[in-house]
């Protein structure tokens, strides 16, 4: 299971409803603690406090949310859950099955969430046909980040296909640059694997493999090809990658030591924090072969049942604020992600975000919008963990057999179902 932040925010938007004389407290359990993430969550806190409510921040750093989920489980079991917690994907369904989540249908109807959100996002935010969580943003996972100055020095061309990617990597390596900045952590290894899978399998077979858990696709020739490509890609990663954090890898591309990084758009927040400009200081490209597809990772706040009426009101105001255009604008410019609202004005966003929103809308309409496996959107945390183990073991074994790895992948997934 994953976790996110407990937020109980009361925000009364005067444009939507009269300002309430009663204020509540919102406690938010989350793991937004890096530079760009911290600025983003500070935005939400300010909007909540500006409405007269009290924000009780409960940030739990580390582990991609595992530590925070442990805290949340303890609080929930003791009957003292936060108003809101950072929970996403299938984990929302697991909490819903426990009967602990509050319904947000009233807020959703008033703000017309059914019209503002793509069906693929609505499915994630609902349990039993009721909204129980509010989406904060949309991250695109299948991005390739490049340093154009490094590419120019190496005589390399930004790649649009996997063959072009390896050709560019060869030129970067020959010119003395690190071709691919990578952090050797299981979730980062699996992010690379996922992007390769999305490109080589295509969105339909990607879904069959990682949402439907179809054994035929998991063990098929295309999946063997994915593992073979992953093995080849490892040859362009430096020997010191083990344990490196993702933002340290981003810094290597930023400071000109490396030419490329495969990472979701949260990497952009690091470039922005350093004052770098999209399109000139750095470029964002759909990972080669995944044009037309969009692997999504959605941060969301699941709302827990509360006994206090003022705090419940604050909780609903929090949900309204999260879905409001002001918050969606400011938060996502800080976080590197894009707004979840399909009607959001993107004129104030950078070129990468504008491209991301256009691709998000197109993919939602053509079947290319698919949930990220590596980031907890496609399958349970048990399946995700099984994939992490197989992928990381394979990635770090230069003698590993791609055919064997595909069989191991299917077996590991079956073992945890």
């Amino acid at each position: 299971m994953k976790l996110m932040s407990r937020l109980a925010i009361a925000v009364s938007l005067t444009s939507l409803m009269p300002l309430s004389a009663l204020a509540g407290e919102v406690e938010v359990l989350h793991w937004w603690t890096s530079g760009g993430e911290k600025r983003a969550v500070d935005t939400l806190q300010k909007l909540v406090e500006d409405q007269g409510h009290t924000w009780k921040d409960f940030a739990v750093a580390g582990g991609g949310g595992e530590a925070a989920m442990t805290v949340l489980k303890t609080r929930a079991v003791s009957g003292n859950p936060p108003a809101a917690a950072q929970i996403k994907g299938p984990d929302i369904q697991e909490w819903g099955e426990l009967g602990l989540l509050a319904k947000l249908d009233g807020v959703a109807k008033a703000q017309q969430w059914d019209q503002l959100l793509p069906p693929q996002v609505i499915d994630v935010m609902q349990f039993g046909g009721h909204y129980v969580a509010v989406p904060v943003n949309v991250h695109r996972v299948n991005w390739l980040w490049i340093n154009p100055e490094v590419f120019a020095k190496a005589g390399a061309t930004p790649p649009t296909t996997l063959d072009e990617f390896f050709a560019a990597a060869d030129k970067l390596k020959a010119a003395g640059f690190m071709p691919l900045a990578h952090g050797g952590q299981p979730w980062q290894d699996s992010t690379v694997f996922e992007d390769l899978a999305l490109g080589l399998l295509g969105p339909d077979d990607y879904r069959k493999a990682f949402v439907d858990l179809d054994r035929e696709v998991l063990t098929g020739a295309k999946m063997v090809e994915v593992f073979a490509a992953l093995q080849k890609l490892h040859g362009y990663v430096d020997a010191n990658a083990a344990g490196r954090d993702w933002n340290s890898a981003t810094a290597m591309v930023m400071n000109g030591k490396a030419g490329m990084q495969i990472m979701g758009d949260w990497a952009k927040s690091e470039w922005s924090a350093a004052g770098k400009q999209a399109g000139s200081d750095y470029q964002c490209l759909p990972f080669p072969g995944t044009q037309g597809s969009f692997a999504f990772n959605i941060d969301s706040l699941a709302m827990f049942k509360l006994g206090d009426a003022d705090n419940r009101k604050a909780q609903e105001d929090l949900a309204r604020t999260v879905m409001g255009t002001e918050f969606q604008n400011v938060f996502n410019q800080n976080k590197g992600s894009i707004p979840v609202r399909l009607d959001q004005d993107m004129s104030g966003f950078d070129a990468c975000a504008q491209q991301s929103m256009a691709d998000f809308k197109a993919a939602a309409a053509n079947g290319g919008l698919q949930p990220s496996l590596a980031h907890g959107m496609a399958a349970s945390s048990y399946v995700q963990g099984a994939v992490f183990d197989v992928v990381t073991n394979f990635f770090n074994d230069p003698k590993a057999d791609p055919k064997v790895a595909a069989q191991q992948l299917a077996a590991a997934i079956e073992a945890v179902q």
Side-chain angles (χ1 to χ4, degrees):
M1 236 190 205
K2 308 222 162 209
L3 29 137
M4 195 168 192
S5 57
R6 62 171 157 167
L7 329 152
I9 301 180
V11 181
S12 298
L13 298 179
T14 55
S15 62
L16 297 174
M17 57 187 303
L19 189 63
S20 173
L22 299 177
E25 177 187 82
V26 341
E27 187 180 16
V28 184
L29 179 63
H30 65 92
W31 61 93
W32 286 316
T33 55
S34 77
E37 293 173 336
K38 178 65 166 58
R39 286 189 298 277
V41 80
D42 285 349
T43 299
L44 182 57
Q45 178 175 346
K46 183 178 186 302
L47 286 172
V48 168
E49 292 177 341
D50 283 350
Q51 301 298 324
H53 296 297
T54 301
W55 170 285
K56 189 175 181 182
D57 194 66
F58 196 172
V60 181
E66 286 84 354
M69 195 52 73
T70 300
V71 174
L72 179 58
K73 289 177 183 177
T74 302
R75 288 282 303 271
V77 168
S78 66
N80 182 34
Q86 187 179 346
I87 305 173
K88 64 182 184 180
D91 288 340
I92 294 173
Q93 306 304 308
E94 294 186 22
W95 284 101
E97 289 169 1
L98 295 174
L100 296 175
L101 299 183
K103 295 177 182 177
L104 297 172
D105 295 338
V107 177
K109 184 176 181 180
Q111 282 190 311
Q112 299 183 316
W113 292 8
D114 285 353
Q115 286 73 50
L116 293 175
L117 303 173
Q120 297 93 329
V121 176
I122 292 174
D123 288 345
V124 178
M125 297 301 121
Q126 291 187 342
F127 173 76
H130 300 281
Y131 283 100
V132 294
V134 56
V136 175
N137 58 4
V138 178
H139 280 296
R140 187 180 195 175
V141 178
N142 57 313
W143 276 124
L144 177 70
W145 305 92
I146 69 172
N147 184 320
E149 184 179 353
V150 171
F151 263 65
K153 289 178 179 178
T157 302
T160 59
T161 67
L162 199 55
D163 286 343
E164 290 177 0
F165 170 85
F166 288 124
D170 285 333
K171 287 193 174 183
L172 291 165
K173 192 173 184 178
F177 296 103
M178 186 190 303
L180 183 66
H182 180 68
Q185 298 170 339
W187 73 267
Q188 295 191 63
D189 296 342
S190 292
T191 295
V192 174
F193 170 77
E194 170 181 300
D195 287 350
L196 287 167
L198 185 60
L200 292 170
L201 296 177
D204 291 341
D205 278 351
Y206 172 92
R207 186 172 188 86
K208 288 179 182 177
F210 301 122
V211 177
D212 301 336
L213 308 179
D214 184 310
R215 180 176 177 82
E216 184 176 345
V217 179
L218 287 167
T219 60
K222 285 184 179 180
M223 190 64 75
V224 175
E225 189 179 345
V226 172
F227 277 104
L230 182 65
Q231 193 168 54
K232 182 176 181 179
L233 184 146
H234 188 272
Y236 298 99
V237 173
D238 69 295
N240 298 318
R244 178 184 293 143
D245 289 333
W246 67 268
N247 51 338
S248 296
T250 302
M252 291 177 174
V253 182
M254 197 183 306
N255 63 26
K257 291 183 178 179
M260 300 182 285
Q261 181 186 21
I262 302 166
M263 188 53 59
D265 56 15
W266 48 92
K268 189 178 65 175
S269 67
E270 299 299 310
W271 289 91
S272 297
K276 305 295 185 180
Q277 299 299 313
S280 54
D281 297 316
Y282 65 97
Q283 292 179 9
C284 53
L285 307 172
F287 183 77
T290 69
Q291 293 88 338
S293 296
F294 191 114
F296 68 85
N297 174 27
I298 298 176
D299 288 321
S300 54
L301 296 175
M303 304 296 177
F304 283 79
K305 291 180 179 178
L306 302 174
D308 183 87
D310 292 341
N311 289 345
R312 287 200 304 271
K313 176 63 168 56
Q315 183 184 59
E316 292 181 352
D317 286 344
L318 167 62
R320 284 190 188 88
T321 302
V322 168
M323 276 294 290
T325 55
E326 179 183 3
F327 171 74
Q328 288 284 321
N329 182 66
V330 177
F331 183 94
N332 287 293
Q333 293 213 38
N334 276 309
K335 188 75 161 54
S337 45
I338 60 171
V340 71
R341 295 175 58 123
L342 293 174
D343 68 342
Q344 189 81 18
D345 178 5
M346 296 295 293
S347 60
F349 284 78
D350 62 38
C352 289
Q354 291 181 12
Q355 179 185 347
S356 188
M357 178 59 87
D359 291 349
F360 175 60
K361 291 179 179 179
N366 68 17
L369 186 60
Q370 297 296 332
S372 167
L373 172 76
H375 297 275
M377 300 302 300
S380 73
S381 56
Y382 305 107
V383 170
Q384 181 194 51
V387 173
F388 280 12
D389 289 344
V390 172
V391 168
T392 290
N393 289 338
F394 175 86
F395 195 57
N396 291 295
D397 180 1
K399 297 181 180 179
D401 185 335
K403 290 184 179 179
V404 173
Q407 295 291 331
Q408 291 174 334
L409 181 67
I413 289 174
E414 288 175 357
V416 298
Q417 287 186 68

